[in-house]
Amino acid sequence: MTLVMVLVAGVLSSCGTYLLLGRQLSRVVIGIGMLGHAVNILLVLSGGDGGRPPFDGDDPAGFADPLPHAFVLTSIVISFGVISFLLALAYRSWQVTGNDEVEDDVEDRRVATHGQGGAE
Amino acid sequence: MNALIGLPIILPLLGAAASIALGAHRPLQRLISIGVLATLTATTAVTLVRVDRNGITAVQVGGWEAPTGISLVADRLSVVLLLTALVTLFAVLVYAVGQGSFDQPGSEARHVGFHPLYLILTAGVSFAFLTGDLFNLFVAFEVMLMASYALLTLGGRADQVRSGMTYVVISLIASTLFLAALAYVYAATGTVNMADLHDKIAALPAGLRSSLAVLLIVVFGIKAAIFPLFFWLPDSYPTAPTAITAVFAGLLTKIGVYTMIRTQTVMFTPATRPGTLLLVVAGATMVVGVLGAVAQNEIKRLLSFHIVSQIGYMVMGLGLFTVAGVAGAIIFTVHQILVKTSLFLVGGIIEEKAGTGRLARLGGLARTEPLLAVLFLLPALSLAGIPPLSGFVGKLALVDAGLDDRAYVVVGVSLVVSLLTLYSMTKIWAGAFWGTRSEGASDLPPAKGTTGTAIMTSATAALVSVTVAIAVFAGPLHELSTRAAADLVDPTPYIEAVLGR
């Protein structure tokens, strides 16, 4: 079971990385989301094998480790907030520029063309 | 008295809540923000004296014992940097209020959200300095970054959105990697408390240990903007309103450096610290940053590349992993936070008065604005490391430590980079302060001598005088940093304080 989850995390993170490398903002947002899911799965796995719920009986020996789940919940909430912000930003970018692409940096281009007729 | 330690986290959050509720009353919002930051600066100064006298103080939140519960730890390193950060945040807040009289997109007067966000940023910064476990460090980073995302894009101009997008995506990738590192650390050791990790990581196989160390360096390296992970910084910082850029430039990257110092020393035993790797990275960061700065023609962008270059010095001090080296890194970080912020604030006043930050269009400010020229010259010379200013104190400590450790190459690189830093600072000086205003500048708005500029100038002057004070009190500060560094190079007192052994 753990191996399957590790593979799922691997596939998710590779797809996320691929999407991040594109120039379209909507793809970047989806890519970030997939990377986040991959890491959340890793966090769940870090608690080791599953066990009984921590409130079932008095013997803590067979309990599942509750800490990674607390981590994951926190991280899900945070990534929800950040991805909402990112979507709002992508929407604003579309409003301002009229397209969905990551733009070149104006100043970088100015420095790059320095000395080739692009100087001030 | 231990309750004072949690105050820098709780008070700004309460203040932010009140500030949102009072959104319609800008004067009340200003009062809350200034009150909160003034109180925190005072209490943190008290904490610093107490921690320096009584040693490291740890508070277990909610009475849950470490390593299960959440620990807040005040040691000399974290409190010195927290105090510096709060002083900077305070000065920049006053500056922003002054700048608010110029009704620009993203300015304090125009946005209800400015004050609450600024206070949340303060809470995140304080939490990052004080937390004693890795997961809460992640949460602190997210609190701080979330506020910074919103502050950076306040106003929603096209260039802000473009650079904000880069900044948010890069920060998110760093956070994702941080979470992955956390998962690996927890899977390998079963704890995320940094003090507890010291012994447990030492027991791990060498390969696993170094991959954890390098993963953490990459994560905090992105935040601190070290070579080769700095490319996002010069693109994203200059577009924000000046006050925001100044506080980001001064603080956020330094928090990356702080966490690097903290994790590499407390979590890893001396034999397993990646010293050589850090020294190589430090040298490359200095050189690439300063060369980038030399190529720029706009004040804020030039200064942004300098942030990168100066991070190299701090990493160099850390990479030596000696008491003298880490002490040098601490002094240098304190100096950088103040100096970098002042330089950006002066750059902002120049833009406000002249209507542009492009060096080709500026000139002659030394004649029309002599006070501004002095306020620029002091931190600029300090940045280059001219004696007797604060940059000299920091660089001397670092070079001394480097020579003691026979790290001649990186010391040589750092000295050459100082020279180039001086060159690029004279470039701003010659472009903006000397000469005459160039053609085509006459259509710009005339210099405004309002109360707003007076407030901005006095906030900047206050910050500059703090940097001069560092040079004056260099002796006590160096002793304090040496004591702080001794606790880091051998973190036994830290571990004992947190775990209560």
Side-chain angles (χ1 to χ4, degrees):
Chain A
M1 190 59 196
T2 311
L3 184 65
V4 175
M5 295 303 272
V6 170
L7 287 176
V8 170
V11 170
L12 275 176
S13 58
S14 46
C15 292
T17 312
Y18 174 75
L19 288 173
L20 262 182
L21 296 175
R23 272 185 91 94
Q24 277 168 305
L25 290 182
S26 46
R27 285 180 175 224
V28 170
V29 176
I30 296 172
I32 290 271
M34 289 180 104
L35 272 183
H37 287 313
V39 168
N40 287 344
I41 290 175
L42 276 185
L43 265 179
V44 173
L45 289 179
S46 72
D49 292 332
R52 286 183 293 115
F55 46 78
D56 180 16
D58 290 329
D59 174 30
F63 284 175
D65 189 348
L67 211 50
H69 300 119
F71 293 163
V72 172
L73 280 179
T74 316
S75 110
I76 288 173
V77 172
I78 290 174
S79 56
F80 168 73
V82 176
I83 285 178
S84 326
F85 183 80
L86 205 58
L87 276 174
L89 206 58
Y91 177 66
R92 176 71 190 167
S93 173
W94 177 77
Q95 266 187 333
V96 176
T97 61
N99 65 38
D100 184 34
E101 300 235 316
V102 180
E103 286 175 80
D104 284 342
D105 191 72
V106 191
E107 201 71 25
D108 272 355
R109 252 185 299 173
R110 211 193 309 260
V111 171
T113 55
H114 195 81
Q116 297 166 16
E120 297 178 57
Chain B
M1 278 304 270
N2 285 349
L4 279 188
I5 290 171
L7 206 62
I9 304 163
I10 299 162
L11 198 61
L13 287 179
L14 291 177
S19 201
I20 293 173
L22 297 169
H25 307 278
R26 199 53 42 84
L28 275 177
Q29 278 194 322
R30 287 176 183 165
L31 198 67
I32 291 175
S33 306
I34 289 177
V36 165
L37 280 167
T39 316
L40 290 184
T41 311
T43 56
T44 309
V46 173
T47 313
L48 176 60
V49 174
R50 286 174 53 84
V51 166
D52 193 33
R53 196 181 300 152
N54 306 340
I56 300 167
T57 316
V59 175
Q60 313 297 343
V61 175
W64 289 78
E65 288 304 313
T68 321
I70 296 170
S71 316
L72 296 181
V73 191
D75 70 343
R76 293 186 183 94
L77 169 70
S78 58
V79 183
V80 166
L81 291 181
L82 179 60
L83 183 61
T84 319
L86 287 171
V87 168
T88 313
L89 282 163
F90 190 32
V92 172
L93 177 70
V94 175
Y95 180 96
V97 169
Q99 200 183 26
S101 56
F102 302 97
D103 193 24
Q104 286 172 339
S107 75
E108 180 261 354
R110 225 190 225 193
H111 296 277
V112 178
F114 181 91
H115 285 280
L117 286 169
Y118 198 79
L119 286 174
I120 291 171
L121 184 76
T122 310
V125 167
S126 310
F127 196 14
F129 280 131
L130 292 173
T131 180
D133 74 72
L134 274 183
F135 193 77
N136 280 292
L137 188 61
F138 166 75
V139 175
F141 264 125
E142 291 308 309
V143 170
M144 183 176 89
L145 289 173
M146 200 67 205
S148 76
Y149 301 153
L151 282 171
L152 190 72
T153 50
L154 215 56
R157 287 197 322 266
D159 60 333
Q160 284 184 317
V161 171
R162 190 203 65 234
S163 60
M165 204 70 199
T166 319
Y167 177 69
V168 176
V169 170
I170 288 291
S171 304
L172 269 177
I173 291 170
S175 302
T176 312
L177 281 174
F178 191 4
L179 266 183
L182 261 168
Y184 297 142
V185 168
Y186 191 80
T189 61
T191 180
V192 287
N193 187 301
M194 285 191 262
D196 199 23
L197 280 169
H198 183 80
D199 290 336
K200 292 195 173 155
I201 283 189
L204 294 178
L208 185 56
R209 207 166 46 204
S210 25
S211 34
L212 288 180
V214 172
L215 195 53
L216 286 173
I217 290 179
V218 170
V219 169
F220 300 128
I222 296 178
K223 315 251 184 206
I226 60 173
F227 177 83
L229 307 163
F230 65 90
F231 48 84
W232 56 271
L233 188 143
D235 284 347
S236 52
Y237 277 10
T239 53
T242 311
I244 300 305
T245 312
V247 90
F248 285 12
L251 276 182
L252 297 195
T253 48
K254 309 308 180 286
I255 291 168
V257 173
Y258 162 79
T259 43
M260 230 190 233
I261 296 179
R262 173 67 77 211
T263 51
Q264 296 300 325
T265 54
V266 173
M267 283 172 52
F268 297 93
T269 45
T272 60
R273 291 170 185 162
T276 318
L277 172 74
L278 283 177
L279 286 182
V280 172
V281 165
T285 310
M286 290 180 212
V287 173
V288 173
V290 85
L291 290 181
V294 167
Q296 301 299 318
N297 290 309
E298 207 255 340
I299 294 181
K300 277 189 187 172
R301 283 188 65 93
L302 202 159
L303 292 174
S304 296
F305 271 99
H306 269 299
I307 303 174
V308 177
S309 173
Q310 306 295 324
I311 293 290
Y313 286 90
M314 300 165 210
V315 177
M316 167 187 158
L318 173 65
L320 294 172
F321 284 117
T322 57
V323 172
V326 177
I330 297 171
I331 299 182
F332 201 80
T333 310
V334 170
H335 140 80
Q336 268 298 304
I337 292 177
L338 297 164
V339 161
K340 197 90 255 165
T341 312
S342 338
L343 279 175
F344 270 96
L345 292 184
V346 175
I349 302 179
I350 294 175
E351 283 186 5
E352 214 66 75
K353 293 210 169 177
T356 178
R358 306 205 65 82
L359 290 174
R361 307 188 68 180
L362 288 166
L365 280 172
R367 225 176 12 260
T368 52
E369 305 285 346
L371 177 63
L372 206 56
V374 173
L375 287 183
F376 176 79
L377 193 62
L378 282 176
L381 291 180
S382 181
L383 192 74
I386 304 288
L389 296 161
S390 59
F392 172 71
V393 177
K395 280 186 185 167
L396 183 68
L398 284 173
V399 167
D400 222 22
L403 292 179
D404 279 350
D405 211 40
R406 297 173 191 282
Y408 298 117
V409 178
V410 76
V411 168
V413 168
S414 75
L415 293 175
V416 173
V417 169
S418 293
L419 214 59
L420 287 170
T421 309
L422 187 61
Y423 165 69
S424 57
M425 283 297 131
T426 50
K427 193 172 161 183
I428 298 188
W429 179 258
F433 291 95
W434 276 353
T436 48
R437 280 188 86 160
S438 42
E439 306 284 317
S442 53
D443 54 333
L444 297 167
K448 289 169 271 188
T450 58
T451 38
T453 13
I455 297 174
M456 286 158 75
T457 313
S458 36
T460 315
L463 212 53
V464 170
S465 48
V466 177
T467 70
V468 175
I470 290 185
V472 175
F473 297 105
L477 182 67
H478 188 262
E479 283 162 22
L480 178 66
S481 318
T482 309
R483 288 195 292 273
D487 283 350
L488 288 169
V489 173
D490 175 22
T492 321
Y494 183 94
I495 294 163
E496 281 171 357
V498 175
L499 298 183
R501 285 191 199 136

